[in-house]
Amino acid sequence: MPEPSTSHRTDSSEGRRAATALPATPEAVVVIDFGSQYSMLIARRVRECRVYCELVPHTATWDDVRALRPRGVVLSGGPASVYDAGAPTIPAWVFEQQLPVLGICYGMHLLAHQLGGTVSPATEREYGSATIAHDAATALFADLPASLPVWMSHGDHVVELPAGFRAVASSDNAPVAAMANDAGIVGIQFHPEVVHTPQGTRIIENFLYRLCGCNGDWTAGNFVVDAVERIRAQVGDGRVICALSGGVDSAVAAALVHRAVGDQLTCIFVDNGLMRRQEPQRVVATFGRHMRMDLVHADAADRFLANLAGIIDPEEKRRVVGETFIRVFEAEADKIGAVDFIVQGTTYPDVIESAPGAGAAVKIKSHHNVGGLPKELTFELVEPLRFLFKDEVRQVGAALGLPDEMVYRQPFPGPGLAIRIIGEVTNERVAVLQAADWIVMDEVKKAGLYYDLWQSFAVLTDTRSVGVMGDYRTYGHVVALRAVNAEDAMTADWARLPYDVLARISSRIVNEVPGVNRVVYDITSKPPGTIEWE
């Protein structure tokens, strides 16, 4: 088995260096993103097969991915046609390195086009379920039923195969639903990454195991062992601080670094006054007393609320919360003395959603733990979770022995309740939302639904409504309920909560929370909406 990679990537931001090691693994796959809405989902499916992968733009060079020592390449779908002016193409290194390749939809079209075949517009766009018949002797379809339901989404199709390729699957509307050659290059017209292709994961496994020669040995336990070694190598005898929020990401990052360097780590918990009811007390009890970490509790609630006064714009709220956090954090860090490193619980979706520039995903919103540090800070970044999805972070937390109530805690936004209060953030409005949110959590847990949901929470809207309470006319706040199911928050579907649970939540909020006389339920999925309202 080859030695694992320990190469580092460097952040170009002036004044600090992000010394982020890639998760070590003897086997990895590169997913090249051509702009498909499913690109992140492809990466997730590969990871679910216990093979490490990274999503890179189509502009990535061999030098960009060399450190991964990839065993194969997956080409995503995309909105372009191969004949469009400026349409993205497969980098030359993919063919030069003679790696196994799986082209999905547009990725298949590119393979055909760049290797000498012909791609033409279909008579009509095919979108939805289809059934393919395949050549069972093809490694990609090994041990699968002869007829497979799949999900199609394409406007072009391959009409002439490149030299050396043969058609290995077909459907009623796609004579070439899959193609392959003897060099391990395969293309498929359908999308194996979506749930509408029931055998999709098996197809991806066949590519990874049979064509790329992967063994599927990338596990949470292996990750922990390697991450501890890398953190120790990076930190040495240096002093480390961590911004601890109590959320899953920062908790797991802190526990991982604490296991690596022990008392060299000091965690700073900045209490912004925008957390859930009793959350600060739980953070102090869990990390300070139970885990025996060196923990500083900085109560800065008044400062945050003062700085947020009069601000309505969501991005400005995020900026103000982030800036205030940094200033409080800096002041506490100064009291510690010389510090060399700072831990951040950055995860892969944070990186992707916040990534600007060509070839990257469109920036949806700024994230509090990506690019949030001012340039003048000289701490070196330690980001042990940077390449993990949320469910992988949870697996690492479990492997570290963290309690379930911490590992499987629902995600909570960095700016806290500031972005769940539509409009100005005030003491009174924070108190109203904390009370309503407490009821949501209480009822969801009583119903045994908490761990089944990705997130469930209340939103204090900027709408007032007329009501009648105790024979008196009221003009009160409207609270919105939000509950979603998701795998990693890149996409999410609104949760079909039982009516009796919704009824109890609504009844309790209007009866127990002063000033609220109406409760509504958000049934918007992501996309088109986002999980948070702001």
Side-chain angles (χ1 to χ4, degrees), residues 106-122:
Y106 179 71
M108 172 183 174
H109 301 159
L110 283 177
L111 285 172
H113 179 63
Q114 291 182 231
L115 294 175
T118 303
V119 177
S120 296

Side-chain angles (χ1 to χ4, degrees), residues 268-272 296-301 303-304 307 321-335:
I268 299 175
F269 168 48
V270 176
D271 183 355
N272 58 19
V296 175
H297 178 199
D299 185 351
R303 182 170 175 178
F304 277 86
N307 290 350
V321 171
E323 177 68 19
T324 305
F325 164 81
I326 286 297
R327 297 310 159 205
V328 174
F329 186 84
E330 279 182 318
E332 295 299 329
D334 285 344
K335 297 175 186 177

Side-chain angles (χ1 to χ4, degrees), residues 277-298:
R277 183 185 287 181
Q278 296 185 6
E279 191 75 13
Q281 295 89 331
R282 286 196 293 271
V283 170
V284 172
T286 299
F287 294 95
R289 300 186 196 127
H290 173 67
M291 299 186 68
R292 300 186 180 279
M293 289 187 184
D294 182 13
L295 178 66
V296 175
H297 178 199

Side-chain angles (χ1 to χ4, degrees), residues 115-132:
L115 294 175
T118 303
V119 177
S120 296
T123 305
E124 57 184 44
R125 181 176 182 83
E126 185 177 20
Y127 183 84
S129 296
T131 300
I132 64 167

